[in-house]
């Protein structure tokens, strides 16, 4: 099997700030701290990956890793598109399940010059990070809270920054597979 791949298919550190800027609450973030916020999220993902690397041997097979922590994986032969957004997988926290949308993953694999198995493992690794957030780390998205409503000097409610969990998950996958995408 060829080891020729496009650049790593998840946003890397250099693109993490763009991820933050696309978040729907970005306008409520203190922009003087945005790089600090991105660094914090990236570090959470990197640290979690390094801890995982000490527990498991390469190659990192996230089907086996998920099985070892009783995390159920449910494959669905669908291309899950809602609006103009394609979903590859979904972690259901309270049920400890990950749904993997195979036709969506297949399209992603093709567009990133990956085998189906490589793409599946990368997507599953990303969702595994969200499992770690729920079970062990706490949600990265809640490390920075912004007001839900702001009227003048008054603020009402607080919400997290969802992009931070995604940045941390990208960092996790990036750190696990730093030497490129594994050949299966």
């Amino acid at each position: 099997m060829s080891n020729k791949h496009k650049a790593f298919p998840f946003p890397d550190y250099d693109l993490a700030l763009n991820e933050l800027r696309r978040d729907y609450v970005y306008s409520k973030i203190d922009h003087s701290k945005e790089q600090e916020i991105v660094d914090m999220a990236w570090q959470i993902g990197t640290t979690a990956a390094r801890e995982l690397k000490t527990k498991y041997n390469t190659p990192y097979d996230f089907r086996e890793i998920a099985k070892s922590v009783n995390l159920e994986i449910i494959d669905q032969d669908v291309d899950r598109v809602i609006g103009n957004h394609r979903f590859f997988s979904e972690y259901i926290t309270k049920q400890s399940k990950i749904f993997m949308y195979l036709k969506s993953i297949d399209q992603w694999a093709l567009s990133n010059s990956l085998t189906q198995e490589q793409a599946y493992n990368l997507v599953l690794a990303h969702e595994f990070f969200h499992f770690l957030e729920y079970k062990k780390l706490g949600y990265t998205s809640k490390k920075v809270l912004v007001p839900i409503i702001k009227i003048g000097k008054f603020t009402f409610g607080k919400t997290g920054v969802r992009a931070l969990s995604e940045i941390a998950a990208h960092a996790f996958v990036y750190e696990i597979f730093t030497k490129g995408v594994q050949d299966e």
Side-chain angles (χ1 to χ4, degrees):
M1 181 181 316
S2 169
N3 197 22
K4 293 179 183 175
H5 301 288
K6 287 184 178 182
F8 197 75
F10 283 111
D12 61 11
Y13 175 80
D14 294 335
L15 295 175
L17 188 55
N18 292 340
E19 182 97 16
L20 177 63
R21 289 177 176 158
R22 283 192 302 272
D23 194 284
Y24 74 98
V25 299
Y26 174 73
S27 64
K28 298 175 182 183
I29 294 170
D30 178 350
H31 299 304
S32 69
K33 295 184 178 183
E34 63 185 21
Q35 191 62 56
E36 176 184 329
I37 292 168
V38 165
D39 291 346
M40 175 269 307
W42 192 266
Q43 189 60 47
I44 289 170
T46 299
T47 300
R50 289 178 182 157
E51 288 176 12
L52 182 126
K53 284 178 162 184
T54 65
K55 293 181 183 177
Y56 298 95
N57 296 320
T58 61
Y60 300 105
D61 178 348
F62 277 86
R63 283 185 181 145
E64 289 301 314
I65 292 169
K67 186 188 294 184
S68 75
V69 295
N70 298 316
L71 179 57
E72 185 179 358
I73 302 167
I74 301 167
D75 291 339
Q76 293 190 334
D77 195 26
V78 297
D79 182 17
R80 186 160 168 82
V81 179
I82 299 174
N84 62 352
H85 187 78
R86 173 169 280 117
F87 293 85
F88 305 103
S89 56
E90 187 174 5
Y91 170 57
I92 309 300
T93 55
K94 292 185 171 51
Q95 297 177 22
S96 208
K97 294 179 181 180
I98 295 176
F99 289 92
M100 299 291 286
Y101 305 124
L102 301 178
K103 288 183 179 173
S104 294
I105 294 169
D106 289 349
Q107 288 192 33
W108 186 68
L110 188 61
S111 67
N112 286 285
S113 302
L114 300 169
T115 66
Q116 291 172 326
E117 188 57 35
Q118 288 167 329
Y120 187 99
N121 200 38
L122 287 167
V123 170
L124 186 54
H126 178 99
E127 292 303 328
F128 189 81
F129 175 78
H130 293 311
F131 164 79
L132 290 176
E133 281 185 301
Y134 178 68
K135 290 291 190 177
K136 178 182 174 189
L137 304 172
Y139 292 112
T140 309
S141 61
K142 296 196 181 208
K143 304 286 184 193
V144 174
L145 298 175
V146 297
I148 294 173
I149 298 172
K150 185 176 181 182
I151 303 171
K153 295 181 182 181
F154 300 100
T155 61
F156 303 93
K158 295 277 185 186
T159 187
V161 182
R162 181 161 165 58
L164 297 179
S165 284
E166 293 307 305
I167 290 166
H170 296 325
F172 176 83
V173 176
Y174 194 84
E175 181 69 24
I176 293 289
F177 300 99
T178 52
K179 301 216 183 341
V181 179
Q182 294 177 314
D183 284 339
E184 301 298 325

